[in-house]
Amino acid sequence: MSLDGLIALDYDRFGDTLYLMRCENQDLPTAMKEHITFTPHYDTLIRSGMYEYYASEGQVSLPYALAELVDNALSATAKNTGMRSIEIRMLFDETLGKPAVVVLDNGCGMTSKQLKNWAVYRLSKFTRKNSSFASQQEGYVRPDPVAHSLNSDISYFGVGGKQAVFYIGDSTRMISKAVLSPDVHELVLSKDDFERKEKNKEDIYSGTILNRKPGDFSHCPDERFLHALIAEESEKESFTAVVITGVNPEHITFLKKDFKLWTRQLAHIYHYYIHGIDGNNMSKASANSNPSKIDIQVTLREKAPKFPRALNLREVDDDMQTLYINASADTFEFKATTQPENGTVEGVLRYHPFLYDKETYPQDPQASLDDKEDDDVESGVHNQARGSRPIFECFWNGRLIPYTKVAEFDWCARPRTQKEQDLPPECYSRISGVLFTDDRFQVSTNKLTFMDLELALRRNDTIFTCEQKIEKEFTQWLKNCHKNLDKQIQFLDYKETITLPDVTPKERQAPWATFGSIKWHGKTYKTGELVKSQRTNPTLYGKVVRFLLYGNYKGDVFATGGQVEVALEPKAFYNKTRRIIPIIKIDRTSTDDAINKHIKSDADKLPHELKVEWPNGNPFSENADYPAGTPLGPLKIEILNKKGESLSRMPRAGQSPVIKLCVKLRLVHHGTNQEEMLSYVAEHSAKWNFWFKKIENLTKVGKYTLFLNAMTNDSAIIFEGSDENQSTKTISPVHIGMPFNIPLQIKDKYGHSTELPPNIQPEKCDLKVILPGLTKGTQTQKIFLLPGKPHSLHVKPEDNPITGENGNPFKFDVEIHDEAGNITANARQLVHCEVHGYPEIRADCSQTGVGQFVTKPINLKIIKGEPQKLTVKFSMPVSKTVKRFLLVLRNSEKIEWLAGGLLENLHYKLFDEAGREIRLTPEIASMIKVTWAEDGNLKDLVQGKLPNIQVPTKVQDARFCKVLYEGQSVSVSFTIVMNLITIKSSLSGYALNTGHCFPHSVLELVDQYGNVSKTLYSTFHVNVLTVCLNQEHNSCVAVTGVCFQNGTPGSREMRFTFRKYVACVTVMVTAGDPAQLKLPLQVLNGSSIPTPFIVQLFDMWGNPTQDQRVVVECSVSVIFLTINKHHLILKVLFYCCSTRGYYQLEFKGSFNDKPISGTSLNLNLLPNPNKPVRLSVEYDTKAKLPAGGTFPVFRVTVVSDEGSPITTFDPAAVSMLLWEGVPSGTTQEPIIINVVPNQPVKLGPDSQPPAPVVSYSTAITNRTLVENMTLRIMDSYGNPTGQNLHGKVAVSMKSSSCDGSTNLPLFEGKNSRCQFNLVEGKVHITRLAIMENSPGENGNEYNLIFKPEVSLEAPTPLIPFELKFLFYNDSENQHKMSALSGKKDALNVAIAKYEEIFNDHQTLLMLLTAMKLHFKSLSFNLSSTVETLILTLLQVGHLACVQDDDAARVISWHLSGDMDCVITTTTAAARTIVDNTLGRQQVMPLDGILMHPGNRPLPHLRNGTPLFPPQGNPIYARDLLIYSHRPEDCNTVFKNILGDTILMDDLYSGTEYRKAVSDIQCPTILTRQGDRISARGKFGGTQNKAPTISALKVFGAPLPGRYHTLREQIGDLSRSQVSKLNSANEADKDRESHLIMMKSPDNQNKQQDLKEKKKQLEEIERQLGMFVDFALQTEKLPTSFHSFLAFFGF
């Protein structure tokens, strides 16, 4: 101890002296050194990302933080040989734990050492190599150069990952597993951990790495969202997962709300890593030569009911690079090298051309742009594409550096001085570019900006591709792009510069240069040419006055806009005769002929003449004399246009004001001075047109002139008319295709017939005859056309070939057309239908021109499932054409054909492995080879037609034929068997009267050349008639004596067979000889006599009487009528419902009580084939019906009055009811079925016994478990069964707690098991009790097990019966629990009874409510049912009908979301429906639909002219809809919901059609095969394929003709409305009274009593210790809840 208070110690180890101080503030005797350690504050790490990402130039920085983590994942997966998978998971479901962001990759992973190095801040890949952090696995090697520097070497500085995770949240968990490592390494860094270490004065920058087995999450039991992530580890060889928690709430909101925005930014940053070096070129996506193996998936999960969102960044199609690539038309590539760092830059320039009226330079979807100008505003050169934005986006090692952009280089900048021959300056604003640099250019640690890229590229030592020539090459490239790609307008023939005072805004009124012509898209427009506008309202027609361009110009110039001044035609149509519109609104597709036609059509709508009528007769004739005072008029005037249409106002175009017309009448007297006697102006009246009253003041003698002038309401006279009627002579109807005469009569100007001067010759022009030289040289005649003579047959369906199933008939509809395609009906139009191998069918089409054929079922032997074709031939003697169809059936191995015949019309098709038809091309067709011909016609082979096969005339065994596709194992073969002989009959086509015999007929066997065979040696069979051989001639058979004794007239078929040869002869049976007179009155049973009877009264001499005192009566019903002047008509209408047969009606009269003899009428009551009388039910009566089984198949037939089955009834009208016991409420004879027990499955009691409570007392009653209980073998439904089963029932005990307790009670006799005899499936137990002082746990619950042991083996193991009981060791508790159990059972019975009553009340209320709604729906006027439904509450699916089933199927599927939409006339009615259905019913009010008038032509039509011949029969889908009522409203509805959807035949035609009209917007296309091509061009997949018609709600077919007859009878049903209303009122009263009863005090007391009993039951159960296990409740949760948990990984 020294005197100064210091203790000095020698510290020789370090060569220093260590001083120990007594206090902190003690003075130091000399200078001393103090050793300290310092570390950065943990904010250096956790707040490192704040400045880096907040300094993000006003943009949202979170996507760039996520990009840092993706950079690390790309580097980690760089050496993957397969797919490189990166997944960003946003876990924001609070039910799974706190919010988290997970970035997961399948890269190489990290070892424990590498994971430690990752945690070191700013330990880059360059500095760690020579430091203490180096490892054997690490060592940076610069990657080899690749295109666009896409080397994945972007995890660089050792900074970005830490900055990103602590910018996103406040804690991160790094989980990684390296390749070949058996363990997973896990490191946690968190803000809370740093704060805790600082508070505890621990080393902040220290921690632990957890090394564990894959899939082990025992260290994080509370973080449930990690369990599913860790469970995935076992399936992965290596991986790294970055789990970020404590996510900033603002970040969570942004990630949820702007999911599309930040995923779009990520897709932009990694565009070329995702899509490869060529980028996302969607037009060449399938031909990408270097596809990427990088897959970046983003998923976001939120709390239910929100569904998870998932997006692969490869699917993003609106990031800026995708927009740039797909909007460009050409590219210019270059390279640059910088010194001294030897950096390499690859560059690409893209050109975005100007197209007609707009720039194609893409705009950023997220940029805040000014509102787009309307296309009416001039778009001059100042409206440039790129504007002031830089040209180049910059990528570093293939990754976007978002905040660095290069404006331009000197060689690609717009020249400051523009020469006359140079490019337009706006071309330089149509380029975009991208620069790809390697890592020799420095970027900031957050990879947001380059350090000095632009400066390095602008240095003089920077070498660009083609030194000294790049500027020249770029300029030449830009010129070529402008010349070939820009679609600008060239203004020619400069006139002057003017001012337009009407232009707004005012600053654009001057200067405007005017030009005489323009050159636009290869076409020159000049002043005076006719033009038509497009996208204007109205469409304008007229002549060009001049072209205008805003700006100071003195000569020819290119520009991107401009206006045109048009003089409108016809001028009377428009208020302003000139209009200025943008040049881009000129319709370039219109022609002069089309424009002139439309102008003429508009001119024809203008007033042309006056039509004068004299309603009271007495017309005034020209130059006629009339006495003074003769009244003139009244006059009715009509103003007619050239079309003969009446006008009341001037026609107008678009929204121009209405100009009304009027007629002025002037009467001028020609005396010494012309004097206007009177003048009137008549306005238009809807009833009288223009009307002038009678003029009665014509008293002056002299000549008068009546002037009638049509005027507008502003007194502008249009024209003058005369008072003569104009008439046109019509020609009698003519037939199409037939010549006819036109009478021509020549008159002079006074109307007198005269001869034609010799110097005038007529010119023939269709139906207009022109005689030049006459005052009125043209006269047009009206003709009426009727269908012409038969020209062709049209067969439906039009599919060729038609596919069907073996054993089914085929149905064809035939129409007879004239030359113009009209259906024509003429005499003797008999159409023949022939199917090879089947009888011929005929149909008479003389009356209607149409007919229907139904073939007999086609039955062929099916072998190997190959299709077979049959030819159907339709012919008519007067028709010149025959149409053939192919029936595609299953093909057999052999084809029979006549020897020497020609097998033709052979076609083939090729199919791929998926069964899709391959389109034939010349290359494919050249590979088709056949065995029966050397070389086929290539033209026919391309069409799918094979060469004809000449069948040999010499009979052979068979001929083998084969078709093969050369070079492939694809072929088809068949064998032709020759058929030599057929039967020939002379009866074919013979007509025979009933009762007459056929004349002598001969049957012969002939070959195909008509030669008679001499080999006939057997017997012919004609149905059941047998005829023998002619003894004189061994080659023929004589048939005689065949006649038809009865039957209805019509065609009959006679079949002659000889071995395998068959001849079918069709003969026509006509009516026989006249034999009796009958009054042909026949009535179907249940229907009325369609026409009334007319009874005429005569006197005894046969004169009609007029006496009105006669009473006429009918024996069926007496009707008193009054005699008319000449005859008496007695209308009798019978409803016949009696037994069918013959009846007689008698008509009698009486005069002064004296009888008048009458007439009688025979009535034949025929059975009605359409009247159902009973049901015939067939089923297997021997079928055994076990309980719970399936009923046998019931085959129900509706039998008609005549005993035949009715096939047209609605199957939904047949119902099946099931009763237990005696049936009620049905008139049909019931079917009694006997239900027998099912298979034995269990042992059970007749009635469930109560749970016994026993004790070990000496009293037997306290020890009794079961008394007088019968157990039976039962099925699963509780029915006794198993009467054939015998054996034993073993009774044992077990503890209900399943704890394995061995302290069980014992039965009497100290037995743990006892047995009872099972006889005929049942056992009766008289008493079963436990022994005295039996062991057991006090208060415990046990189960009695009654297990059956049968001698015979049951189909299934029998389930034993279990009965719970309680055991107590004293009688007091036993009595108490027995009492409680008794009360419990009584309460259960009372509660069940109450609940049954209340359930019955509720069920009755529901039934009464349904009855009320039902009667309410019936209480409307039945006579206007259809109209009311269509106007108010019909659904879309009921508004229209579709004739074609295929069209109905695909249109209904396309509108499936709208089929149940209810259409209303008003919005108020729509709101009422929505309110009544609680918002579940979708509606559409008509008053809320805006529909533009008129119909657009199909896209391939321009001004009525097709641009190309379309395939597939395109038609607007709405044109196939048939409306029965209110077609205008229905058309409005379907125009709104169906739009311009087009229907075509097949998918191929639809895709070809869409490709042909790709220059305009093409609507959605549907096909009759059920395909859909959306308006965006998408097709294929299940979402674009209609299901079968049975799975859809489909538009119905048009109503048959009988529907309109039934409509007339609806009026009779209206009488039932009163009864329906009464029933509705009664149902309403019943419901109200029931509601009152349910709310009555008595019912309320019962409900209160029920609540009290439930409380008592709960208390008793509590005392009994019966508590519900919570786990049991969890097991009973809905399946959907468990599925929900499983979906999120639980």
Side-chain angles (χ1 to χ4, degrees), residues 1300-1515:
S1301 175
T1302 59
N1303 189 14
L1304 299 175
L1306 299 176
F1307 296 111
E1308 289 180 320
K1310 296 184 180 182
N1311 296 320
S1312 61
R1313 174 186 169 97
C1314 60
Q1315 291 184 344
F1316 297 93
N1317 291 327
L1318 179 69
V1319 180
E1320 294 182 352
K1322 69 178 180 178
V1323 59
H1324 182 76
I1325 302 174
T1326 306
R1327 182 188 298 272
L1328 180 63
I1330 62 174
M1331 64 176 286
E1332 296 181 7
N1333 300 322
S1334 173
E1337 297 290 338
N1338 181 36
N1340 202 1
E1341 185 180 66
Y1342 297 94
N1343 284 1
L1344 279 175
I1345 310 299
F1346 297 84
K1347 185 176 181 181
E1349 298 174 354
V1350 296
S1351 56
L1352 296 177
E1353 183 178 354
T1356 58
L1358 298 179
I1359 301 172
F1361 169 65
E1362 296 188 9
L1363 179 64
K1364 292 183 179 181
F1365 70 93
L1366 293 173
F1367 176 82
Y1368 291 93
N1369 57 12
D1370 61 339
S1371 60
E1372 183 179 353
N1373 282 336
Q1374 187 247 346
H1375 287 302
K1376 185 182 298 183
M1377 299 309 294
S1378 296
L1380 290 176
S1381 297
K1383 290 182 179 180
K1384 176 190 172 184
D1385 294 338
L1387 287 174
N1388 280 330
V1389 173
I1391 290 174
K1393 189 171 183 180
Y1394 274 135
E1395 288 181 344
E1396 182 181 2
I1397 293 173
F1398 294 143
N1399 288 337
D1400 291 343
H1401 288 176
Q1402 195 64 29
T1403 303
L1404 181 57
L1405 178 61
M1406 294 174 61
L1407 291 175
L1408 291 174
T1409 303
M1411 290 176 61
K1412 175 183 176 182
L1413 296 177
H1414 173 69
F1415 286 121
K1416 184 177 180 181
S1417 65
L1418 293 177
S1419 58
F1420 56 89
N1421 188 356
L1422 295 178
S1423 63
S1424 59
T1425 301
V1426 179
E1427 292 80 3
T1428 303
L1429 287 176
I1430 290 183
L1431 289 177
T1432 56
L1433 297 177
L1434 267 189
Q1435 293 181 347
V1436 169
H1438 301 156
L1439 285 179
C1441 301
V1442 181
Q1443 183 71 42
D1444 187 356
D1445 289 348
D1446 293 335
R1449 167 196 169 207
V1450 70
I1451 295 175
S1452 303
W1453 164 70
H1454 182 61
L1455 298 180
S1456 58
D1458 297 319
M1459 292 291 283
D1460 62 345
C1461 179
V1462 174
I1463 307 301
T1464 65
T1465 55
T1466 63
T1467 302
R1471 285 196 294 264
T1472 301
I1473 294 175
V1474 172
D1475 293 341
N1476 292 339
T1477 59
L1478 302 180
R1480 292 189 294 270
Q1481 176 64 53
Q1482 56 177 338
V1483 295
M1484 182 190 299
L1486 288 175
D1487 60 358
I1489 299 176
L1490 174 61
M1491 187 55 57
H1492 297 289
N1495 294 319
R1496 290 179 51 194
L1498 287 167
H1500 72 280
L1501 298 177
R1502 297 290 191 278
N1503 301 313
T1505 303
L1507 300 179
F1508 58 90
Q1511 299 179 359
N1513 302 314
I1515 185 175

Side-chain angles (χ1 to χ4, degrees), residues 1121-1425:
L1121 299 175
T1122 303
I1123 301 300
N1124 295 328
K1125 290 184 178 180
H1126 300 290
H1127 60 274
L1128 174 67
I1129 299 178
L1130 177 63
K1131 296 185 178 179
V1132 181
L1133 193 63
F1134 293 108
Y1135 289 92
C1136 303
C1137 301
S1138 58
T1139 306
R1140 55 180 181 247
Y1142 290 92
Y1143 294 86
Q1144 190 175 63
L1145 299 179
E1146 294 184 359
F1147 296 89
K1148 298 178 181 180
S1150 61
F1151 177 68
N1152 293 333
D1153 296 330
K1154 295 181 180 180
I1156 299 177
S1157 61
T1159 183
S1160 62
L1161 182 65
N1162 292 328
L1163 178 65
N1164 185 12
L1165 191 59
L1166 301 177
N1168 192 341
N1170 297 320
K1171 178 183 178 181
V1173 295
R1174 62 184 178 87
L1175 293 179
S1176 173
V1177 182
E1178 298 178 3
Y1179 66 98
D1180 185 4
T1181 57
K1182 298 180 180 179
K1184 188 176 181 180
L1185 303 178
T1190 304
F1191 276 114
V1193 176
F1194 291 96
R1195 186 173 182 270
V1196 181
T1197 304
V1198 181
V1199 182
S1200 68
D1201 189 27
E1202 68 177 6
S1204 61
I1206 297 178
T1207 59
T1208 58
F1209 75 96
D1210 184 8
V1214 179
S1215 60
M1216 178 177 175
L1217 304 178
L1218 185 66
W1219 288 272
E1220 181 179 3
V1222 181
S1224 61
T1226 178
T1227 58
Q1228 182 70 21
E1229 182 180 355
I1231 299 174
I1232 299 175
I1233 59 176
N1234 183 24
V1235 180
V1236 298
N1238 213 318
Q1239 296 293 336
V1241 296
K1242 64 181 180 179
L1243 182 68
D1246 291 338
S1247 61
Q1248 182 68 28
V1253 180
V1254 297
S1255 65
Y1256 61 13
S1257 67
T1258 58
I1260 186 63
T1261 56
N1262 296 335
R1263 294 185 286 112
T1264 300
L1265 293 170
V1266 172
E1267 187 175 9
N1268 291 327
M1269 181 178 72
T1270 302
L1271 298 177
R1272 300 180 187 273
I1273 302 296
M1274 298 181 176
D1275 60 12
S1276 57
Y1277 303 99
N1279 301 307
T1281 183
Q1283 284 77 10
N1284 60 334
L1285 297 179
H1286 305 275
K1288 301 288 185 180
V1289 173
V1291 186
S1292 60
M1293 299 185 191
K1294 72 174 183 178
S1295 177
S1296 297
S1297 58
C1298 299
D1299 55 359
S1301 175
T1302 59
N1303 189 14
L1304 299 175
L1306 299 176
F1307 296 111
E1308 289 180 320
K1310 296 184 180 182
N1311 296 320
S1312 61
R1313 174 186 169 97
C1314 60
Q1315 291 184 344
F1316 297 93
N1317 291 327
L1318 179 69
V1319 180
E1320 294 182 352
K1322 69 178 180 178
V1323 59
H1324 182 76
I1325 302 174
T1326 306
R1327 182 188 298 272
L1328 180 63
I1330 62 174
M1331 64 176 286
E1332 296 181 7
N1333 300 322
S1334 173
E1337 297 290 338
N1338 181 36
N1340 202 1
E1341 185 180 66
Y1342 297 94
N1343 284 1
L1344 279 175
I1345 310 299
F1346 297 84
K1347 185 176 181 181
E1349 298 174 354
V1350 296
S1351 56
L1352 296 177
E1353 183 178 354
T1356 58
L1358 298 179
I1359 301 172
F1361 169 65
E1362 296 188 9
L1363 179 64
K1364 292 183 179 181
F1365 70 93
L1366 293 173
F1367 176 82
Y1368 291 93
N1369 57 12
D1370 61 339
S1371 60
E1372 183 179 353
N1373 282 336
Q1374 187 247 346
H1375 287 302
K1376 185 182 298 183
M1377 299 309 294
S1378 296
L1380 290 176
S1381 297
K1383 290 182 179 180
K1384 176 190 172 184
D1385 294 338
L1387 287 174
N1388 280 330
V1389 173
I1391 290 174
K1393 189 171 183 180
Y1394 274 135
E1395 288 181 344
E1396 182 181 2
I1397 293 173
F1398 294 143
N1399 288 337
D1400 291 343
H1401 288 176
Q1402 195 64 29
T1403 303
L1404 181 57
L1405 178 61
M1406 294 174 61
L1407 291 175
L1408 291 174
T1409 303
M1411 290 176 61
K1412 175 183 176 182
L1413 296 177
H1414 173 69
F1415 286 121
K1416 184 177 180 181
S1417 65
L1418 293 177
S1419 58
F1420 56 89
N1421 188 356
L1422 295 178
S1423 63
S1424 59
T1425 301

Side-chain angles (χ1 to χ4, degrees), residues 736-747:
I736 293 176
M738 299 294 294
F740 61 95
N741 297 324
I742 301 176
L744 183 63
Q745 189 177 14
I746 309 300
K747 297 183 179 181

Side-chain angles (χ1 to χ4, degrees), residues 429-442:
S429 67
R430 295 175 185 151
I431 57 176
S432 66
V434 59
L435 300 177
F436 300 96
T437 73
D438 55 19
D439 60 357
R440 290 180 174 84
F441 296 89
Q442 296 184 6

Side-chain angles (χ1 to χ4, degrees), residues 660-731:
K660 294 183 178 180
L661 294 173
C662 57
V663 176
K664 183 177 182 180
L665 181 147
R666 293 188 305 120
L667 188 63
V668 177
H669 177 256
H670 298 282
T672 55
N673 295 319
Q674 287 193 0
E675 177 184 3
E676 184 175 299
M677 298 295 296
L678 50 88
S679 176
Y680 299 115
V681 176
E683 300 288 342
H684 183 265
S685 169
K687 183 176 181 181
W688 302 105
N689 283 310
F690 300 94
W691 182 273
F692 292 97
K693 296 181 179 180
K694 187 185 298 183
I695 302 173
E696 298 180 346
N697 56 351
L698 301 180
T699 57
K700 290 186 178 181
V701 178
K703 292 185 178 181
Y704 290 85
T705 300
L706 178 65
F707 295 92
L708 294 172
N709 301 334
M711 309 170 60
T712 62
N713 52 5
D714 57 357
S715 300
I717 299 176
I718 298 176
F719 62 92
E720 295 184 358
S722 66
D723 61 348
E724 295 181 357
N725 289 313
Q726 302 294 325
S727 61
T728 304
K729 185 177 180 181
T730 60
I731 301 175

Side-chain angles (χ1 to χ4, degrees), residues 538-539 541 570 572-574 597-609 639-654 659 661 718-719:
T539 302
Y541 298 83
F573 246 65
Y574 305 93
K597 182 178 180 181
H598 192 278
I599 293 175
K600 182 180 180 301
S601 176
D602 285 346
D604 290 344
K605 298 177 183 178
L606 297 173
H608 175 64
E609 62 180 357
I639 302 177
L640 304 179
N641 57 21
K642 289 186 177 181
K643 297 181 179 181
E645 299 169 343
S646 179
L647 303 178
S648 64
R649 59 184 65 184
M650 284 291 292
R652 59 175 183 156
I659 301 176
L661 294 173
I718 298 176
F719 62 92

Side-chain angles (χ1 to χ4, degrees), residues 158-177:
V159 175
K162 273 75 73 177
Q163 290 178 347
V165 296
F166 284 110
Y167 176 70
I168 298 171
D170 56 19
S171 176
T172 180
R173 182 186 299 266
M174 298 294 298
I175 308 174
S176 186
K177 179 180 180 295

